[in-house]
Amino acid sequence: MFHKTLLTLTSGALALTLLSVQPALAQESGEDGRAGQSGGADRTERGPRQNRRASGAATPTAGENAATVQAMLTTASVDCRVLEATLVGVTAEEHPTYEASCVDGPGYLVIGATPPQTFNCLELAGQAETSRLRDPEADVGQQCTLPVNLDPLPVLSGYARQAGIDCTVDRAGAIGKNNTGQLIYEIGCAERDGYWIEKADAGWKTSPCWSLSLQGVTCRYSTPAETLGAWKTVLAGTEAAPCDVQQARRVGRDAQGLTVYEVKCGVGDGYLARVGDTFTAQRVHPCATAQTIGGGCTLTPASAAPATSSEQ
């Protein structure tokens, strides 16, 4: 038995599915002689308070646990070389449940059903964080507890390096799934704007938080100051490089497939910037001469200079 809750958030072209897939382990009877129960829709939001331990059998060794879990993960086509495995309880159907850590990658909760059921520790922890943001008192169900599984930074720092992100990762976690079922991770960078990353057919897809913020998405691990500060990199090498960006908005896409943004500067005129897939500006246009591009600038007052550009 397991609990599943789906919540889909849609903003413009973005679609993120927050997924809770929580193993429901059997509970011991309470003082009234009944197992703990929850009713209605809340059942998918709360896990067990106690896990019933397997009894009546010899305690398996650490090596036996590891071998058992490795076989189940292999059967489930999960790429994990088991580092450690421990028996944590049994389900209501008497299926043994294990927690495993992996040499490379996230750990798992594994239920010895037919076929085996597996639950990514990073995904469970991410859903728990989301639930607690909505309700600090939320019961988030069964979670991974092995020390190596409690720290997502080693695994997600490795993923960030694979994705080409050169920063000191200070916070990170799984935040949901994309429309193909791949986990999306948020990477927080020390004193810098962060990213969402997701596995793609060839490598990783990265989305900087400054871009996400202009599509109605707020990153958990980046501050507004870090997000605005990212424009220094976006505008580097252009005439807009000195702009101390105070505000930005997404205008749309141009005929060349570049994304057009408006930035408001702390001092002086603002700009329209055409940004490519590498998230760096290919061309910029001072607001004074950009009235015919995407409706012109709206964040800064129109300059008295006449419009001379007719680019679209």
Side-chain angles (χ1 to χ4, degrees), residues 215-235:
Q215 299 176 67
V217 175
T218 300
C219 289
R220 296 174 180 175
Y221 309 140
S222 294
T223 66
E226 290 171 341
T227 297
L228 283 176
W231 283 100
K232 287 293 184 185
T233 300
V234 178
L235 300 174

Side-chain angles (χ1 to χ4, degrees), residues 180-225:
T180 65
Q182 291 282 357
L183 278 172
I184 300 174
Y185 304 97
E186 182 174 339
I187 304 298
C189 295
E191 299 181 355
R192 280 182 48 188
D193 191 42
Y195 296 82
W196 280 11
I197 64 173
E198 53 195 282
K199 194 70 174 173
D201 291 338
W204 291 83
K205 176 184 176 183
T206 62
S207 302
C209 285
W210 69 260
S211 177
L212 293 170
S213 71
L214 299 179
Q215 299 176 67
V217 175
T218 300
C219 289
R220 296 174 180 175
Y221 309 140
S222 294
T223 66

Side-chain angles (χ1 to χ4, degrees), residues 62-86 98-104 108 110 116 118:
E64 289 171 337
N65 281 337
T68 297
V69 174
Q70 184 69 74
M72 288 192 291
L73 289 170
T74 300
T75 298
S77 299
V78 173
D79 184 14
C80 167
R81 289 186 293 147
V82 175
L83 177 67
E84 178 185 2
T86 182
Y98 301 85
E99 181 182 347
S101 61
C102 304
V103 174
D104 302 304
Y108 290 86
V110 184
T118 63

Side-chain angles (χ1 to χ4, degrees), residues 4 11 20 30 62-63 90 111 147 165 185 307:
K4 180 180 288 187
S11 175
S20 170
V90 295
I111 296 178
I165 296 172
Y185 304 97

Side-chain angles (χ1 to χ4, degrees), residues 40-63:
D42 289 342
R43 184 174 299 166
T44 59
E45 299 295 329
R46 299 204 296 264
R49 290 180 176 81
Q50 295 178 333
N51 301 335
R52 181 160 58 81
R53 298 285 176 175
S55 61
T59 301
T61 66

